[in-house]
Amino acid sequence: MFRMKLLFIKRIFITGILSGGLFCAVTAFAGVKAQSGCLPHTVVQAETDVAELRKQLAHWDKRYHTQGVSEVSDETYDQMRARLVTLEQCYGQQTPVRLPSSVRYTMKHPVVHSGVRKAASDNEVEQWLRHRKNVRIQPKVDGVAVSLVYSHGKLTHMISRGDGHHGLDWTEKARHIPAIPQGITTELTDVILQGEIFLRRDGHVQSRDGGKNLRSVTAGLLMRQANDEQLRELDVFIWAWPGGATDMQYYLNTLTEWGFPLTAQYTKPVSGPESAAEQREAWYRQPMPFAGDGVVLKQMPPQDTSRWQTGHNHWSLAWKYPVQTAVTEVRHVQFPVGRTGRITVLLSVEPVIIDGKTIKRVAMGSLAVWMKQRIHPGDLIVVGLQGHGIPKVREVIRKTETPPELYVPGKEDFHRTSCLTYTPRCRQQYLARLVWLGKQLGMNGTGVRSWGKLADHYTFSGLLDWMLLDEEQLKAALGKVRGVNFYRQGNAARQKPFSVWLNALGVPGKSPLPADWSLFRQESRLKTERNHYAQALEAEGVVASLQLQGVDGFTGTNPDSHN
């Protein structure tokens, strides 16, 4: 079975060609929504988001088209463009993307640059290959699409893809790129080649290095007025010879003889879905001389180039690599408080898939980290995976213009000795203390839900109020099975040694502990932090409760000396 034989986790991509890219149609593929369909927006919210996205993209486009500068990664730009198209399609607000007024595509392509449809799933690849023969696979090089026009063997024009019909005249740039032959040996009057100009990076591993924004760097070199010395680092991968040879081996040999060896090196036959998957995985993992965002499966295109169109063609299919980052919208911002009073920040986001993993929540770490960016619901952020697959915020792409008010807890309200008793404001830290206490005392099956039910059912006040409940009361709040288990676990906890109880209560410090509370209080006076914590435990009635329950070490006996 195809799905069982794939060498990598199944990836899902959004299909579609987006209009308006300078060099190639922007692909809506990355950061795929975990649930299909339109984004959960009201009409008013959608109108606002569309306006903000258009404004942001227009700014990036102007910088990109007029100065060759990209302020965001290629992957992020593609996803933002895809997001806009999705909103426009869902809410009927589609408008063409317009180039900055200073950019005009004036040079006509001899043959139209056709678009490539993107596979939405592995299954679509399988279906596409099922009824096709003589299929080849090539890497989808991450660069800038161009036409190279040779007349009587001499290079006469290099034209950017533009809108597929017309592009920019980059012939002068081609003169400074050694990898582009200025002449070829042929008896043909005219030769038209289509391919990708890219920044050569030997040893590039896509699965490890990602795109590194090399497409934008390449575009910048070609867009600048001056001829940068780095143009010498550019190379070209030819992926089409419109109207050329129909015999594949002759086709590849001829391109090599003309000075385009990469085409033969990276064009492989595929016998079916399994071999295509194996080659795709190999190119994703092994060193290559270029960045690539996937592979293209293709048959020989029609010889009659008048049938070629800028939209999707029927003879090729792109199969993208998994994305490295994803653009997503923040839905909620929470500020969990831990047992020691440490405040962290947790973002709930619109679900996205990165490297086969569905991301719904992103931890930002400490409150101080959040304060630097102040991320709110409605903001668009870029999320990536770090070590062990942990999602992290890479950057904030767009701040919402109407951020909602957030309750942000202050450090002065939560600290090591706060919330030893229950109040609504203290709920998170109070329950976190109980969860820690239960875990350290070996009370299995007493998680935050059980503690929360007890605290709510009996309106707890002190940290150890649960020790006053009998078996029937526990069953009334937790149910028969959980109640009996909790009762037994609680009885066993009462027999734990003094040192275990001190750790369960969260007493700071790692130095050796004395045998009982009176000795501990004498020693703790020499340690300010411990002394302060011990005073808080006494003031909040925790020590008195343990004495009342007869817990060893709090009644004057030495549990560690009992054998």
Side-chain angles (χ1 to χ4, degrees), residues 33-34 40 83 326-334 346-354 358-364 375-383 391-393:
K33 301 298 170 291
R83 187 179 189 87
V327 174
T328 185
E329 182 176 324
V330 178
R331 291 181 172 175
H332 305 286
V333 180
Q334 298 171 294
L346 183 65
L347 308 179
S348 296
V349 301
E350 192 177 85
V352 289
I353 298 173
I354 304 177
T358 300
I359 308 300
K360 297 181 180 180
R361 286 174 291 276
V362 182
M364 284 200 70
I375 295 175
H376 283 73
D379 290 353
L380 288 182
I381 61 175
V382 176
V383 177
K392 294 292 182 182
V393 176

Side-chain angles (χ1 to χ4, degrees), residues 451-558:
W451 289 114
K453 284 183 177 181
L454 288 175
D456 294 339
H457 194 88
Y458 292 108
T459 318
F460 281 179
S461 174
L463 189 66
L464 301 178
D465 284 5
W466 58 274
M467 299 183 78
L468 302 175
L469 302 177
D470 60 27
E471 186 174 354
E472 293 304 315
Q473 289 174 311
L474 289 169
K475 288 193 291 185
L478 302 177
K480 183 177 180 180
V481 175
R482 291 185 180 275
V484 170
N485 175 66
F486 198 104
Y487 182 73
R488 292 173 179 172
Q489 299 281 351
N491 283 337
R494 289 174 171 83
Q495 310 307 315
K496 297 293 182 180
F498 175 74
S499 58
V500 173
W501 268 97
L502 280 190
N503 187 45
L505 292 171
V507 172
K510 296 182 179 180
S511 57
L513 296 172
D516 57 40
W517 183 256
S518 60
L519 292 175
F520 172 75
R521 288 295 279 118
Q522 293 176 23
E523 292 187 8
S524 66
R525 290 190 178 92
L526 302 176
K527 302 177 179 65
T528 304
E529 187 179 29
R530 274 192 173 184
N531 184 47
H532 183 60
Y533 197 80
Q535 289 175 342
L537 290 175
E538 290 178 338
E540 299 297 344
V542 175
V543 175
S545 294
L546 292 169
Q547 290 172 342
L548 183 65
Q549 292 292 324
V551 175
D552 285 343
F554 293 91
T555 59
T557 60
N558 182 356

Side-chain angles (χ1 to χ4, degrees), residues 45 67 111 140 206-207 251 269 277 297 360 362 385 463 503 518 533 540:
Q45 184 183 2
Q67 301 175 40
V111 176
K140 192 173 183 301
Q206 190 68 26
S207 61
Y251 175 106
L297 301 165
K360 297 181 180 180
V362 182
L385 298 181
L463 189 66
N503 187 45
S518 60
Y533 197 80
E540 299 297 344

Side-chain angles (χ1 to χ4, degrees), residues 267-326:
T267 300
K268 307 292 184 183
V270 294
S271 58
E274 292 84 0
S275 66
E278 289 173 2
Q279 187 59 68
R280 175 177 179 262
E281 179 73 357
W283 282 338
Y284 183 55
R285 303 288 178 187
Q286 72 186 30
M288 304 282 275
F290 41 69
D293 58 359
V295 297
V296 177
L297 301 165
K298 61 197 307 182
Q299 293 178 298
M300 186 66 72
Q303 286 294 100
D304 182 3
T305 57
S306 64
R307 296 167 53 192
W308 291 27
Q309 299 178 359
T310 56
H312 300 162
N313 63 60
H314 63 81
W315 63 82
S316 64
L317 182 73
W319 194 6
K320 292 284 193 170
Y321 292 143
V323 298
Q324 304 291 319
T325 60

Side-chain angles (χ1 to χ4, degrees), residues 2 10 20 30 68 75 95 128 163 188 195 211 227 257 294 301 322 330 362 414 449 469-470 542:
F2 172 53
K10 186 173 183 179
E75 195 168 60
T95 56
W128 190 87
D163 60 11
L188 298 172
N227 291 319
E257 291 172 4
V330 178
V362 182
F414 298 98
R449 292 185 63 183
L469 302 177
D470 60 27
V542 175

Side-chain angles (χ1 to χ4, degrees), residues 211-275:
K212 288 196 170 180
N213 233 25
L214 295 181
R215 184 207 311 167
S216 291
V217 175
T218 302
L221 292 172
L222 294 169
M223 288 293 296
R224 294 185 192 123
Q225 295 292 330
N227 291 319
D228 196 297
E229 180 65 24
Q230 201 176 6
L231 286 170
R232 301 183 63 83
E233 298 179 31
L234 298 182
D235 208 330
V236 60
F237 180 86
I238 300 300
W239 33 256
W241 177 6
T246 56
D247 178 81
M248 180 55 67
Q249 195 56 55
Y250 178 78
Y251 175 106
L252 297 175
N253 290 342
T254 301
L255 287 177
T256 300
E257 291 172 4
W258 285 347
F260 304 101
L262 292 176
T263 307
Q265 185 177 352
Y266 292 103
T267 300
K268 307 292 184 183
V270 294
S271 58
E274 292 84 0
S275 66

